Amino acid sequence: MTQTLHKTESRAVMHLVKGISRKTSVMGWARTITWQDIKEKDPFTYQTLNVVRAPTTIYNEFFTCQVTPREFKNTLLRIQICDIDEYDGNVVVAEMDYWINTHIISQFTQFELPFPPFTPDLGEIELHTAYLPVSQRLIFHYSTVTNLKLDDKCTEIFVRGVLFVGGRQFERYQSETKIRTENACTDDGMHFTHKIIFDLDRKYVPKAEVLIHVMQKVDDKTLVVGQVTLSMRHSGQCQQMLKSLRTTVSRVHRLTPSAG
């Protein structure tokens, strides 16, 4: 569970793929199934209704699909847990592949499956932070984004910071907006020099979290490219910053998916 700017709804999406090869490599490694492999097999796709996301989220729906005994061994179920953005789009936060013959299913069966977080390569952001105890301010001096995975129609990019204290949203600011350049999708990156400054009382520091969004403008929409969450209590960068007050601490973070 991570902080969001609005009540987050969620849905489960399942893609059933018949007749897909399970052959391993010469080295014996399990085959990686790509989306191109799935699309070539014309998958059946099912999705649940929207539910409010919670620490334990229940999708109480059933779907059926006919699978013959001959197809059983080569049928894959790709399961995705998705947050829903403000435009009703799916933002995949966890994904797994399950071969349906892995467990013997002779009747209605319940079992647990590991569900790793979905970590696509969205790019990185380098953040430079400092805390000033006298003025009680948390400062993001500037930031650099690199290797962003942007929409083809993206025209502008900016960085947004949101301060949460005890789960409540307190302040929200953003950097300057820049016209998209090719540097945003390379190691050279794009630099945002506008400071993002939060008023943060010393007594609230342990309860504070900052949500950083890299945003892109696509037509008339503002979409999240990816996010980073910095907890004053758990983030390594924040712990180092609080040990070295008034000193700027820098660190590169990998962007993760976010619905907003």
Side-chain angles (χ1 to χ4, degrees):
M1 297 289 291
T2 58
Q3 299 287 1
T4 57
L5 299 185
H6 50 78
K7 182 175 68 175
T8 304
E9 292 190 322
S10 173
R11 64 169 67 108
V13 181
M14 291 142 287
H15 308 275
L16 187 78
V17 194
K18 297 181 182 180
I20 195 163
S21 174
R22 297 182 65 170
K23 290 182 180 179
T24 59
S25 67
V26 177
M27 301 295 292
W29 296 332
R31 180 186 173 194
T32 300
I33 308 297
T34 66
W35 273 111
Q36 185 62 35
D37 297 330
I38 290 176
K39 290 178 181 177
E40 288 175 357
K41 296 297 182 180
D42 194 21
F44 299 85
T45 298
Y46 310 92
Q47 66 179 29
T48 67
L49 298 175
N50 301 356
V51 298
V52 176
R53 187 162 63 105
T56 300
T57 306
I58 298 175
Y59 307 95
N60 190 20
E61 294 181 66
F62 298 87
F63 304 94
T64 61
C65 182
Q66 185 174 2
V67 180
T68 66
R70 186 176 181 180
E71 298 170 321
F72 212 63
K73 182 179 178 181
N74 296 102
T75 298
L76 175 76
L77 187 64
R78 175 162 290 184
I79 308 170
Q80 298 174 323
I81 301 300
C82 303
D83 284 343
I84 303 169
D85 65 21
E86 58 184 312
Y87 306 105
D88 200 42
N90 290 337
V91 178
V92 181
V93 295
E95 177 181 273
M96 68 161 295
D97 288 344
Y98 170 67
W99 296 98
I100 65 170
N101 72 330
T102 302
H103 296 265
I104 298 174
I105 304 175
S106 58
Q107 56 185 355
F108 182 82
T109 308
Q110 178 177 311
F111 47 85
E112 293 185 358
L113 299 172
F115 224 129
F118 184 58
T119 55
D121 187 8
L122 300 175
E124 306 87 31
I125 183 169
E126 183 178 7
L127 297 171
H128 303 257
T129 61
Y131 184 68
L132 307 181
V134 176
S135 59
Q136 301 183 88
R137 285 184 170 181
L138 174 63
I139 301 176
F140 289 78
H141 286 280
Y142 61 91
S143 55
T144 301
V145 294
T146 51
N147 301 308
L148 295 185
K149 185 177 180 181
L150 300 172
D151 190 281
D152 292 338
K153 296 181 181 179
C154 168
T155 56
E156 295 179 327
I157 305 169
F158 64 93
V159 176
R160 178 174 66 192
V162 187
L163 174 67
F164 290 84
V165 176
R168 286 186 55 196
Q169 182 184 156
F170 268 57
E171 295 181 310
R172 172 166 41 172
Y173 301 107
Q174 69 182 53
S175 70
E176 71 274 27
T177 299
K178 290 198 169 185
I179 302 298
R180 174 183 179 175
T181 66
E182 292 303 318
N183 285 354
C185 300
T186 68
D187 287 336
D188 295 333
M190 289 181 66
H191 306 283
F192 296 88
T193 58
H194 181 78
K195 292 182 180 180
I196 297 177
I197 302 175
F198 298 109
D199 291 321
L200 180 58
D201 192 303
R202 280 175 289 184
K203 66 182 179 182
Y204 295 137
V205 167
K207 299 179 180 180
E209 291 181 282
V210 178
L211 183 63
I212 301 292
H213 283 148
V214 178
M215 310 293 296
Q216 62 177 331
K217 292 187 177 180
V218 179
D219 298 327
D220 58 342
K221 298 179 181 179
T222 303
L223 305 176
V224 178
V225 179
Q227 75 170 31
V228 172
T229 303
L230 298 180
S231 166
M232 297 297 126
R233 181 171 293 172
H234 303 294
S235 165
Q237 179 175 1
C238 294
Q239 288 293 299
Q240 184 180 351
M241 175 190 70
L242 295 174
K243 289 179 181 178
S244 307
L245 298 174
R246 305 179 185 85
T247 301
T248 299
V249 177
S250 305
R251 190 162 296 185
V252 177
H253 300 269
R254 184 177 179 181
L255 295 174
T256 59
S258 171

